[in-house]
Amino acid sequence: MNYSDSSSIARFPNFHFNLHSLTSLATIRKSNKPEFSNKVNVLLAVLEVEGPDTIRTKKGPDAGKEISILKMILGDEDGNVCKLTAWRETADIWGGSGSNDIAAKRGDVVLIENVTTTHDPSTSPTLTASPNLKSKLEICYRTMPYAHEDLRLRPDLRLGGSDVCVRKVASVVRWFERMAGLAAG
């Protein structure tokens, strides 16, 4: 992480989530029920993003209509991995299709709220996001900036070391950087 003395103060980390509202991927995996919970919130690093793409539905009330789909592979600081599928407008927003939407990219540490989860004990958990669930994604930190504007997504995590949310985000950032070979030393 490169910091300059003059620029870091302007990007103080300010995360607004309750640590107790987060569900770990390990907890989801340990659940005996395939349908773990109606809705969960997770803090994860984006490992891969595919989409958003447009597909034509085959069943249901929207049969024959085109809708958006976005797929992600996500991981946590313990090395657990899951898949996420976002549907409809949620896929468009998270994929950056709108003029004001910021696309989630590989390396982003994201807070994802209001997603359902299913799992088969032999595979990784699967998360589902949609407008009906009121799913939200917030980019907390961008480990791999692509453009100058991305710097606003890189708060100086050293400045908020006393905040438990900042420490949680920092632990996911450190894990991703080590895993991706970005960490020095």
Side-chain angles (χ1 to χ4, degrees):
M1 293 181 221
N2 294 329
Y3 299 103
S4 76
D5 292 335
S6 62
S7 65
S8 64
I9 301 301
R11 286 185 281 288
F12 192 85
N14 191 14
F15 306 119
H16 300 287
F17 60 88
N18 180 344
L19 216 51
H20 300 292
S21 72
L22 299 178
T23 303
S24 72
L25 294 179
T27 300
I28 295 169
R29 285 192 72 120
K30 289 177 188 171
S31 169
N32 293 329
K33 301 178 242 170
E35 290 280 336
F36 173 71
S37 174
N38 287 342
K39 290 183 184 177
V40 296
N41 303 325
V42 291
L43 182 72
L44 302 169
V46 177
L47 305 178
E48 293 178 28
V49 179
E50 182 184 318
D53 296 315
T54 303
I55 62 168
R56 190 173 300 278
T57 59
K58 295 179 182 173
K59 299 179 189 174
D62 291 336
K65 290 185 181 175
E66 290 189 349
I67 61 169
S68 296
I69 183 172
L70 176 78
K71 295 183 179 185
M72 293 184 180
I73 306 291
L74 304 154
D76 68 14
E77 71 272 27
D78 296 323
N80 297 303
V81 176
C82 72
K83 298 174 187 173
L84 178 138
T85 304
W87 296 95
R88 305 180 189 286
E89 297 85 13
T90 303
D92 290 331
I93 293 167
W94 294 8
S97 295
S99 60
N100 293 325
D101 300 330
I102 300 172
K105 298 182 190 271
R106 181 176 188 269
D108 288 353
V109 173
V110 294
L111 172 66
I112 301 173
E113 298 177 295
N114 300 327
V115 291
T116 58
T117 179
T118 56
H119 80 286
D120 172 338
S122 65
T123 63
S124 300
T126 302
L127 306 176
T128 303
S130 74
N132 295 340
L133 298 169
K134 296 181 175 42
S135 301
K136 294 184 207 165
L137 179 142
E138 176 187 345
I139 300 170
C140 296
Y141 193 88
R142 179 153 284 171
T143 63
M144 301 182 338
Y146 296 84
H148 181 72
E149 299 80 45
D150 289 346
L151 295 178
R152 70 176 189 258
L153 298 171
R154 290 178 59 90
D156 188 339
L157 298 174
R158 300 173 301 175
L159 297 175
S162 63
D163 183 289
V164 292
C165 294
V166 173
R167 288 196 309 265
K168 178 71 172 169
V169 170
S171 71
V172 179
V173 168
R174 282 191 305 274
W175 171 79
F176 179 82
E177 288 178 337
R178 280 191 314 271
M179 191 262 325
L182 300 174

